[in-house]
Amino acid sequence: MPLPSTGQGGERHVRRIYPGWGVAALVAMVGIPALGWRMVLLFGFLPVLILPLLQKALPESVRFLASKGRHEEAILEIQRMEKAAGFPPAAWTKESFQTGPVEPGSSLTQLFSPGFSFMTPLIWATYFLNLLVVYGLATWLPSLLVKAGFSLVKSYSFGMVQAVGASLGGFLLGWMMDRFGRKSA
C-alpha cells in the first residue's frame, strides 16, 4: 500500500508523546522540590484512573466489529461517523464488510531476504539508537546535570526545553512532509 503523499505528516505527529514529556518535566520541576519524588511518581499514575472512562467513551473499531461478525454495531458506528462528518448516510449492509481472502502472514526470515537484508538491520539500529537517545535524555540528563552542579529544578527545565524543542521540530517536519511530500526509499 503506497503512503499518501500529503496531508498526514503533521496530523499524525499530534498523537506522539512529545507534549507529555514537557508536562512531565514541568510536574517534576514544581512537584519534586515541594512534594518529593514519590508524590510525582504517584502523579504519573493518575492517567491510569481515566482508562475506564476512555473504554466507555471511545468507540470500538469498525474493522474489529466486522471481523467478529458484529455487523449491526459496525453499521451503527459508521452511520454515527457519517453524521458527525456531515456526510449523507450510505446504505450499509453486511456484504459491505466482505473482503478477499487473507494472505498468509510474513515470517522473520523474509525480513532478511534479498531486497531487505541491508535495510532491516539498518532500520532496527536506527530505532534502537533513537530510543537510546530519547530515553537517555529523558532519564539520565537530569541526574547528570545535578551531578554537574545544576539545581534539580534547573535540570528538569532543560528536559522541558528538550521536550518542547522535540515537539516543535516534529510539527515542523510533519508540515514539511505535507508540503513537499514523501520520498520512497
Side-chain angles (χ1 to χ4, degrees):
M1 173 190 323
L3 289 172
S5 61
T6 61
Q8 291 187 358
E11 182 270 332
R12 284 188 179 184
H13 190 78
V14 170
R15 296 179 285 196
R16 300 275 176 128
I17 62 172
Y18 297 124
W21 289 344
V23 171
L26 184 62
V27 167
M29 285 172 48
V30 174
I32 288 178
L35 305 170
W37 68 268
R38 287 177 179 88
M39 290 305 291
V40 172
L41 186 65
L42 185 62
F43 183 80
F45 178 74
L46 290 178
V48 171
L49 299 177
I50 67 167
L51 288 178
L53 296 172
L54 290 175
Q55 185 178 11
K56 188 162 182 70
L58 293 175
E60 187 59 77
S61 160
V62 172
R63 180 178 289 177
F64 174 80
L65 292 171
S67 72
K68 298 298 181 189
R70 297 163 51 186
H71 297 101
E72 294 79 19
E73 293 175 66
I75 290 170
L76 287 173
E77 185 57 36
I78 291 174
Q79 290 171 341
R80 186 191 67 76
M81 289 188 284
E82 287 174 334
K83 184 178 178 183
F87 293 137
W92 296 97
T93 64
K94 180 180 177 180
E95 289 73 31
S96 303
F97 299 102
Q98 301 302 323
T99 59
V102 177
E103 295 180 21
S106 301
S107 68
L108 189 61
T109 56
Q110 287 178 317
L111 290 175
F112 295 98
S113 64
F116 296 112
S117 61
F118 178 73
M119 290 303 292
T120 296
L122 193 62
I123 290 172
W124 287 1
T126 301
Y127 273 91
F128 173 77
L129 294 172
N130 180 46
L131 288 172
L132 184 65
V133 167
V134 166
Y135 290 108
L137 282 174
T139 59
W140 296 332
L141 186 63
S143 300
L144 294 174
L145 289 172
V146 167
K147 286 183 182 178
F150 291 93
S151 71
L152 190 62
V153 172
K154 191 72 160 173
S155 70
Y156 281 113
S157 70
F158 289 132
M160 189 172 75
V161 168
Q162 183 269 334
V164 169
S167 295
L168 294 176
F171 286 120
L172 177 65
L173 289 174
W175 174 81
M176 289 174 65
M177 288 181 352
D178 290 345
R179 174 101 164 93
F180 299 112
R182 294 176 174 88
K183 307 293 182 226
S184 60

